[in-house]
Amino acid sequence: MLLMQFSEKNVDFPKLDEWKPEEIQAHIQFMKQTNAGLAATGELVDAQGLAMPETARIVRSHSGGAPVVTEGPFPETKEWVAGWWIVDCDTEQRAIEIAAAVSAAPGPGGLPLDMPIEVRQVMAAPPTEL
């Protein structure tokens, strides 16, 4: 799984609402082309973008009663997941190559964003030591 994560510490580009429309379109086109390429090689399982953190809801069970729902924005949240890809790769190195390509998505001025992309294996079963 490739997680596109942002935090106040690792974002050195303007917020999306400050981009020019053509910069947003170039970014979206890059993502579409990336996904099409991964689909063509049979490596794409799923890819999704997420709405901005302001739309998030935190839900907790409440001992059998109605769940407790906390609505955003969450000012204490300093990190957020912006989207993900689930890819089926033969090697970890290939997943890293894909993550590096995604990291270079264009941003303002067409420059690569160099976004941090977390690479994590999706477990098929619990660890054997459990």
Side-chain angles (χ1 to χ4, degrees):
M1 178 175 247
L2 311 178
L3 296 165
M4 185 187 318
Q5 297 185 351
F6 295 108
S7 76
E8 293 177 354
K9 293 178 184 175
N10 69 17
V11 172
D12 59 357
F13 49 84
K15 292 182 179 182
L16 192 61
D17 59 2
E18 297 174 19
W19 294 20
K20 296 175 185 171
E22 60 271 17
E23 294 169 336
I24 294 171
Q25 288 299 336
H27 184 81
I28 291 170
Q29 186 60 32
F30 174 91
M31 293 302 183
K32 286 181 177 181
Q33 289 172 339
T34 297
N35 293 346
L38 292 170
T41 63
E43 294 171 306
L44 182 66
V45 176
D46 187 32
Q48 300 295 328
L50 298 175
M52 296 305 288
E54 295 81 21
T55 66
R57 305 292 179 261
I58 302 294
V59 180
R60 289 192 170 104
S61 67
H62 189 59
S63 301
V68 176
V69 179
T70 307
E71 297 183 2
F74 306 103
E76 69 280 0
T77 300
K78 304 294 185 215
E79 299 176 352
W80 67 96
V81 176
W84 73 83
W85 290 259
I86 297 178
V87 294
D88 186 6
C89 302
D90 290 333
T91 65
E92 178 182 24
Q93 182 57 39
R94 177 60 183 144
I96 290 170
E97 290 170 5
I98 296 168
V102 168
S103 173
L111 298 174
L113 291 175
D114 297 327
M115 302 176 290
I117 306 294
E118 181 179 345
V119 178
R120 294 180 63 182
Q121 183 177 1
V122 176
M123 293 178 27
T128 55
E129 62 271 7
L130 296 179

